[in-house]
């Protein structure tokens, strides 16, 4: 399934952990390290995923997802499939063209590679290239899709060695922002309207979708007598980063934020809009009203993080969001 980016709000995760960066080799070596998978092997893994993904989507059968996906994409697509079923929406087939494989190196597991492609769904092209991380948990295990994000705007070039192998980054040393801090800084950026005041440059995913969407949604809810409180409740350890040619990284991260909707008046109620994703996830696609709702949202990000010495700012390149639990 393809989790599509949601503008935050709202038609209607306790303490955040620190994500570690997964990878193999950390830098140049005297001899070129061997890629964890051949180009042919990686291409076959992508093809297998695409075929099975379309089959699962066509049947709206989420029981088939664990065989082709892992976290955090698995949780995102289980949620999207439930929403699609509740709204009686079919999922059009997805096709790939121009697949480029960036295989990492190293002997440790999990092993992983990045696939970049032009995708279309139901004949409609995605607005930019899609970046997908595929992960192998152990010897002989299949490669499972862990992240899938469509880029918005230019993406820095990935650094490769003479054999075409990419460098998986395992240490945050020298980076402007550590991957484990991205969730906190992104949330602060759009909650506190820090455009031009923090370590992020302007981008459509961060500012148009998140910052503007959050502000507009909060205002709209307030006009309906509803107060929104959002906190970061979880960051995923399944984080992956690749070195870029300028010494920075492209990093894939995920987090869960929890929204609490409460009425302004003590005797008031709050509502989830008919046919909204939130109402569908609750199992009430026609809408719902209560004195309180709690909504967990899984967010995934593709972010470029430069080195601290570069003088450049970080940029969110891709973003997806889906409600995974509503109560």
């Amino acid at each position: 399934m393809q989790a599509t980016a949601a503008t935050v709000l709202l038609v209607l995760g306790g303490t955040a952990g620190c994500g570690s960066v997964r990878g193999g080799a950390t830098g140049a070596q005297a001899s070129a390290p061997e890629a964890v998978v051949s180009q042919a092997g990686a291409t076959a893994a992508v093809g297998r995923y695409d075929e099975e993904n379309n089959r699962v989507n066509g049947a709206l059968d989420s029981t088939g997802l664990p065989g082709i996906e892992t976290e955090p994409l698995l949780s995102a697509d289980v949620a999207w499939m439930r929403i699609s079923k509740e709204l009686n929406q079919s999922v059009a087939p997805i096709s790939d063209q121009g697949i480029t494989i960036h295989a990492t190196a190293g002997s440790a597991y999990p092993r992983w590679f990045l696939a970049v492609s032009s995708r279309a769904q139901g004949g409609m092209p995605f607005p930019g290239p899609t970046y997908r991380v595929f992960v192998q948990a152990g010897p002989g295990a299949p490669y499972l899709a862990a992240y899938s994000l469509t880029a918005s705007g230019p993406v820095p070039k990935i650094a490769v060695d003479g054999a075409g192998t990419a460098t998986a980054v395992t240490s945050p040393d020298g980076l402007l922002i550590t991957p484990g801090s991205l969730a906190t800084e992104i949330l602060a950026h759009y909650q506190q309207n820090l455009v031009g005041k923090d370590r992020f440059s302007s981008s459509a995913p961060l500012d148009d979708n998140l910052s503007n969407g959050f502000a507009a949604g909060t205002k709209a809810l307030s006009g309906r007598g509803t107060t929104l409180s959002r906190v970061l409740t979880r960051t995923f350890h399944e984080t992956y980063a690749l070195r870029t040619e300028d010494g920075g990284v492209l990093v894939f991260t995920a987090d869960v934020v929890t929204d609490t909707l409460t009425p302004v008046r003590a005797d008031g109620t709050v509502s989830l809009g008919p046919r909204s994703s939130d109402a569908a996830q609750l199992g009430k696609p026609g809408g719902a009203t209560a004195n309180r709702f709690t909504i967990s949202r899984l967010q995934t990000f593709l972010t470029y993080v430069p080195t601290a010495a570069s003088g450049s700012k970080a940029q969110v390149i891709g973003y997806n969001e889906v409600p995974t639990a509503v109560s």
Side-chain angles (χ1 to χ4, degrees), residues 4-311:
T4 54
T7 31
V8 177
L9 275 138
L10 281 162
V11 282
L12 336 248
T15 300
C18 292
S20 59
V21 181
R22 298 293 183 89
T26 58
Q29 300 180 9
S31 59
E34 184 177 351
V36 298
V37 64
S38 67
Q39 291 285 312
T43 301
V46 174
R48 170 185 171 272
Y49 172 79
D50 287 344
E51 181 179 351
E52 287 299 302
N53 186 46
N54 281 328
R55 183 189 64 77
V56 169
N57 288 348
L60 287 179
D61 178 15
S62 62
T63 62
L65 289 172
I68 59 173
E69 294 181 352
T70 188
E71 298 300 340
L73 182 61
L74 176 59
S75 288
D77 280 352
V78 167
W80 279 122
M81 194 160 288
R82 172 177 169 81
I83 290 166
S84 296
K85 291 179 74 171
E86 289 288 340
L87 297 177
N88 293 316
Q89 294 174 338
S90 61
V91 181
I94 300 174
S95 60
D96 276 294
Q97 291 184 342
I99 300 173
T100 300
I101 302 296
H102 295 282
T104 61
S107 58
Y109 290 91
R111 296 178 174 182
W112 63 283
F113 68 86
L114 176 67
V116 184
S117 61
S118 298
R119 309 189 86 197
Q121 186 164 21
M124 295 294 294
F126 286 26
T130 297
Y131 286 67
R132 288 181 289 168
V133 172
F134 288 82
V135 180
Q136 185 185 39
Y143 275 94
L144 305 178
Y147 281 89
S148 180
L149 289 139
T150 298
S152 175
V155 181
K157 289 185 178 180
I158 295 168
V160 296
D161 63 19
T165 304
T167 300
V169 179
T170 59
S171 170
D173 292 349
L175 295 177
L176 178 67
I177 304 173
T178 64
S181 300
L182 278 170
T184 300
E185 296 211 19
I186 288 172
L187 179 62
H189 179 93
Y190 68 81
Q191 275 192 324
Q192 301 174 27
N193 189 25
L194 298 180
V195 180
K197 302 176 184 177
D198 62 2
R199 298 192 286 184
F200 291 98
S201 62
S202 178
S203 71
L206 181 56
D207 296 307
D208 294 342
N209 289 354
L210 273 168
S211 294
N212 294 340
F214 186 81
T218 301
K219 183 177 180 180
L221 287 170
S222 178
R224 298 203 297 268
T226 298
T227 298
L228 167 67
S229 172
R230 171 169 291 188
V231 295
L232 177 66
T233 49
R234 179 187 177 190
T235 58
F236 281 72
H237 290 285
E238 294 83 0
T239 296
Y240 303 89
L242 283 180
R243 184 71 68 198
T244 56
E245 288 185 349
D246 61 5
V249 295
L250 290 180
V251 58
F252 296 82
T253 59
D255 63 65
V256 176
V257 294
T258 298
D259 289 342
T260 302
L261 304 181
T262 54
V264 173
R265 293 175 48 179
D267 60 348
T269 60
V270 294
S271 298
L272 304 178
R275 300 194 61 77
S276 67
S277 296
D278 296 339
Q281 186 59 256
L282 183 63
K284 297 184 178 182
T289 299
N291 58 13
R292 177 189 181 101
F293 285 112
T294 301
I295 306 165
S296 294
R297 303 187 188 280
L298 171 57
Q299 301 177 323
T300 56
F301 296 94
L302 169 58
T303 306
Y304 165 66
V305 180
T307 63
S310 70

